[in-house]
Amino acid sequence: MVSPPGRPLVIAHRGASGYLPEHTQQAKALAYGQGADVLEQDVVATRDGRLVVLHDLFLERVSDVARRYPGRARADGHWYARDFTLAELRGLAVTERLSAAGDAAAFPGRFPPWQGEFRLHALEDELALLRGLNATTGREVGAYPEIKCPAWHREAGIDLGVLLAETLEAELAARGPLPLWLQCFDPAELRRLHAQGFRLPMTQLIGRVPAEQGDWAGQDPLSTAGLAVLARHCSAIGPWLGHVWRDGRDTGLVARAHEVGLAVHPWTLRRDRLPEGCQDAEALVAQLCHDIGVDGLFTDHPDLVVRARARVGERTGALD
Ligand code: CA
């Protein structure tokens, strides 16, 4: 199978997060400039019911919240975004991601922690950035928002899935079409949103151990039968890369998903944290694009995937 130009989609995981602090506007703009086709947003809710772009439910691994608000951690030691207003979150200084202990960079060799001027932003800010760049460049780069921990949010008093889906539908109605996928790890959440009548393209994320992630309606999501169930309400799956490629080989998942009409967008290609058994990121991307035929790829290094994809195209004549 030869991927046509522009495929697989290069999905900038938290922006060009291999180069700049994740989920900052700078990281998103860099990803856009590197040629990403899609920018990813992790979405959590604030105290005042706003949607903020943030990977964790809590703040201390990417911001100075512990220093600014020493008394506002919960009993478990975390400072939760849900306990702060959007205005408070916008005032935090953002850093390159820290280790769980907070004393070192999570990814040594990436952007130095605590340097530069970085901030958190709302989902609406990022969509405005994306729309603005699409207007100035004439490109059609898309968005890929993720509902983070929907069950946790419901217990915390907010229906994040419905709020996000309604926000995206309103955005499309007000400002016109935009390539868009709504992603979630929790299978019950996407089934629920579909049952409630939302018709946004949905991507079911599949973690390393799917059974740990909730109710799969009695099916193994990696099996043909399980994929067929997902295909009723999803347009894509977002599996862990190890479900697609293992020990140098195609596992067959992409072909099984394609059989039932699902696109496949695995995560996450990182130059500085390659999967076990892989020494060459560009060769892996070439194999994923050309031999395995993935439809998209989440990456912290969009430029690497754009470059590797172009080389595959040159070799196969797909760009002729
Ligand atoms: Ca994500």
Side-chain angles (χ1 to χ4, degrees):
M1 170 181 174
V2 174
S3 298
R7 295 291 181 280
L9 293 168
V10 178
I11 306 164
H13 182 247
R14 314 183 201 172
S17 57
Y19 301 99
L20 281 166
E22 67 184 46
H23 284 323
T24 59
Q25 297 226 20
Q26 292 94 324
K28 302 304 168 87
L30 180 61
Y32 195 106
Q34 289 183 339
D37 302 296
V38 188
L39 305 183
E40 192 221 12
Q41 302 81 30
D42 293 304
V43 179
V44 304
T46 68
R47 180 180 196 155
D48 45 348
R50 304 290 296 278
L51 298 174
V52 69
V53 180
L54 180 71
H55 179 267
D56 303 337
L57 293 174
F58 40 84
L59 295 152
E60 66 273 8
R61 288 186 67 184
V62 293
S63 80
D64 64 346
V65 69
R67 186 179 61 76
R68 293 280 305 282
Y69 299 100
R72 286 174 62 180
R74 293 193 186 182
D76 63 5
H78 291 304
W79 282 258
Y80 285 82
R82 179 70 177 133
D83 297 336
F84 293 82
T85 65
L86 180 59
E88 288 172 328
L89 294 182
R90 286 190 202 276
L92 296 175
V94 166
T95 173
E96 175 65 31
R97 173 170 287 273
L98 303 171
S99 62
D103 55 356
F107 290 88
R110 290 195 177 184
F111 199 86
W114 301 116
Q115 290 196 29
E117 166 66 27
F118 300 102
R119 299 282 160 181
L120 297 174
H121 60 269
L123 178 65
E124 67 199 53
D125 302 326
E126 185 155 336
L127 293 174
L129 176 74
L130 185 52
R131 294 271 194 189
L133 282 167
N134 281 348
T136 51
T137 63
R139 294 175 62 202
E140 209 179 30
V141 172
Y144 215 130
E146 178 181 347
I147 310 163
K148 300 299 286 192
C149 307
W152 183 93
H153 274 94
R154 269 197 299 282
E155 276 178 30
I158 192 161
D159 191 336
L160 177 63
V162 166
L163 180 58
L164 177 53
E166 285 177 348
T167 299
L168 296 173
E169 286 194 343
E171 158 76 25
L172 295 175
R175 297 189 183 80
L178 185 72
L180 189 75
W181 296 260
L182 180 60
Q183 51 167 336
C184 191
F185 273 106
D186 184 339
E189 184 70 2
L190 294 183
R191 286 200 303 269
R192 182 179 75 100
L193 291 175
H194 186 264
Q196 291 188 14
F198 291 102
R199 291 297 178 266
L200 296 158
M202 295 188 195
T203 298
Q204 178 63 59
L205 299 172
I206 303 172
R208 289 170 195 236
V209 186
E212 289 176 358
Q213 277 161 339
D215 172 11
W216 293 97
Q219 300 281 356
D220 172 3
L222 302 175
S223 70
T224 301
L227 291 164
V229 170
L230 295 176
R232 291 179 200 154
H233 60 283
C234 291
S235 59
I237 54 169
W240 172 51
L241 191 50
H243 291 317
V244 168
W245 181 96
R246 196 174 308 130
D247 300 326
R249 312 256 293 268
D250 179 0
T251 63
L253 176 63
V254 173
R256 289 200 298 282
H258 285 172
E259 248 173 63
V260 297
L262 288 167
V264 183
H265 301 161
W267 46 268
T268 302
L269 196 286
R270 297 179 165 113
R271 188 175 54 205
D272 49 0
R273 201 166 284 180
L274 289 170
E276 204 176 319
C278 171
Q279 269 85 48
D280 181 340
E282 285 208 22
L284 173 56
V285 173
Q287 190 182 359
L288 289 167
C289 296
H290 183 257
D291 304 325
I292 300 180
V294 301
D295 305 281
L297 186 57
F298 286 87
T299 179
D300 292 2
H301 299 92
D303 59 335
L304 184 158
V305 180
V306 167
R307 194 167 58 238
R309 180 179 68 181
R311 288 201 182 132
V312 169
E314 284 162 15
R315 279 208 304 275
T316 61
L319 299 179
D320 288 349

